Amino acid sequence: MHINNYDDNKLISNKALIFKITFFILLSSIIFIIISSLYIKHTALDNLAEDDALKTSELIFETMNTRMQEGWAKEDLVKIIDRLEHMRKDLKVHSYRSEKVEEILGVNLKDQLTVKNDPFIQKAMNGEKQFMIQEDGSIRYLYPIVVSNECITCHYNTKVGDINGVLDISYPPSEIKISLDSMTYYFLIFFIIFILFVVYIFFFVINAKMVKPIVTLSNEITKSADSENFNNQVFVKTNIREIKMLQFSFNKLLKTINKFYEKLLHNIYFNPLTLLPNSVKLEQDLEKKKVNSLIIINIDDFRSINHFYGTKVGDAIIKNMAKVLEEKTNKVGKLYKLHSDEFAILLDKNVDLEFCEKLVDDIKKHKFAYDGSTIHVTISLGITYDETEHIVDKTTTSVRKAFNDNKSIQVFDKSLIVEDEHTSHIKWTKNIEEALANNKIIPFFQPIKDAKTGQINKYETLARLEKDGKIYTPDKFIDVSKKSKQYDDFTRAMLKNSFEYFKDKEDISFSVNFSVEDIQNKKSVDLLFEYLEKYNIGHRFIVELLETEEFSDFDIINDFIQKLKKYNVKVAIDDFGSGYSNFSYIGNLHIDFLKLDSSLIENIHTNSNSYKVVKNINSFAHDMGLQTIAEKVHCEEIEILLIELGIDYLQGYHIGKPKDSIL
């Protein structure tokens, strides 16, 4: 494995390093032992041999001194020395007289010549003991004989401290007498020094080669972690393979973390599709100034573009739009990509409406091309000038207002806050939630009059929501309930309250609106049939099927109708004659009523075309064995006209307004 830019051949593993350290210590120890042994040997030889020679000299001198005090003559002393030489093998003993002694005993010319030619004897004559190891390894020791009080008796010409002569002894090293205590002492010193040497070498090498690099690497890693800077890589001077690999791996990890960290930061602050700064970055930039001006741009009906062309085309338009807007707005402010199809411009300087109008016109004229097709795009703008807080919310309100009012540009005004659809959506979502929890989804009942008898024995249940004592109609909340996924709960609440109200109203029929969406919801359908079983009033119940775009899956609808018929439930097609009406399916569905759409009825007395359509639908229905119900009968003139046409039932404000009871 190649480690970074380092030469792998120069690295060493821990195992190899430990082997080298062990070998080095072993080799160093052997060398040290040899050197130390030689040193100690010579030191011990010098010290012990000198000590031994001194003791031997003192013994010889004391022996000679004792015999001289006993009156032994010079010839006797020579014999004594000969005898002393036999104390040790190859021991040589010789004595040399000082000048003071020569005055009394006479001069030995041979000895005098020897003293004259031997500087060591001369030094000994001056009182300096001389210890020497000869070339052949033998020991020579020159012992000065110092005058004591006892010596003055015979050597009257001397004084205490003078040198009377020198004893010259020599013997081979094999004859050195060494004490056990001395040997033990030297061995202990050697052993302690050896242990200290090994420990020092071991500590120094291990610390320098292994411990110190690891500690340094650990400290560098800690510093890098504490700095929270992923660019601070660690470097340790070492040739240990494992440490170098650890360093390399850590630095590689830092690079990987830094790469993903930078990518994460980029994704936090920038839109991945356009690479423009996003809403998070916008909020961050807004905080840098107390007062800001902002434009939010919304692509009109972008959902339809995605629907008809696909999201791939939609993404391409967003990217193209980003380039166009960046080019046209870079001199007035910074461009941001917000959620979905929205862009924002944080203005460096306030722009007039003429600039905004030109921007809208330029986008309208721009040809957004994709795969050979040209797609025309329009935009809506919301502008907020010099605001200190909630500028994004205020500008969003402005752009929604522009879109809802079919305007291209809307400047923020405080009055817009009240009209904001988004705020209204949030409010009504909460209102529906509270109404469902507190059973405030209330059915109102609008009477349906029998055109032939004039009696009222049918009612359509219409949903209302009660909030703080006020009653709200579906146009306020029904769309919100679908967007907030509360619609199904709302439907089931209406079923429950309607059946509860009519369960004991004999001879009175009531209807509930049911859409294809309701039919496809299993919980709602199951609840409906549960109430039909529970209350046994199917013969007084009418399901009004809402005719919508989805009113085309006749198998699902017909299956639902067949199940209703088992409970004697009647079925009506609501709003028949509207944009989705289709005469072909009437014969295939087992229905009982056609409710004519209010758009045909409200102007039938003034519009001849409406009159003809209603007349034909009524005739068709009767031919099919169906009864007809006309909605939005708002005046007596229409009532009379419909009775003349033979319409079976009448419903509208002229007949009766929706109320919370039928009494």
Side-chain angles (χ1 to χ4, degrees), residues 29-76:
S29 299
I30 293 172
I31 295 172
F32 177 78
I33 289 171
I34 294 172
I35 294 174
S36 299
S37 298
L38 293 174
Y39 174 78
I40 291 173
K41 177 182 177 182
H42 285 88
T43 302
L45 184 62
D46 289 349
N47 293 339
L48 295 177
E50 184 176 1
D51 183 64
D52 181 65
L54 174 61
K55 290 179 180 179
T56 302
S57 298
E58 289 177 345
L59 177 61
I60 293 171
F61 171 73
E62 290 298 330
T63 302
M64 292 174 62
N65 187 42
T66 300
R67 295 296 180 256
M68 284 190 293
Q69 289 179 1
E70 292 177 354
W72 286 27
K74 183 175 78 171
E75 293 77 9
D76 295 326

Side-chain angles (χ1 to χ4, degrees), residues 441-458:
I441 303 297
I442 302 170
F444 269 45
F445 314 105
Q446 187 171 28
I448 300 174
K449 183 178 180 180
D450 188 326
K452 295 181 178 62
T453 65
Q455 294 181 350
I456 296 176
N457 53 15
K458 290 181 175 60

Side-chain angles (χ1 to χ4, degrees), residues 376-425:
H376 295 282
V377 176
T378 60
I379 59 174
S380 300
L381 271 68
I383 313 169
T384 302
Y385 292 116
D386 302 325
E387 282 291 335
T388 58
E389 58 183 16
H390 305 303
I391 188 171
V392 174
D393 293 337
K394 292 173 181 177
T395 314
T396 301
T397 299
S398 300
V399 75
R400 284 200 191 100
K401 178 64 175 174
F403 179 78
N404 291 336
D405 291 353
N406 201 26
K407 293 166 43 178
S408 297
I409 302 168
Q410 176 66 57
V411 180
F412 175 76
D413 184 84
K414 290 181 180 180
S415 62
L416 296 179
I417 296 177
V418 180
E419 304 172 14
D420 182 27
E421 180 185 352
H422 182 64
T423 304
S424 175
H425 180 92

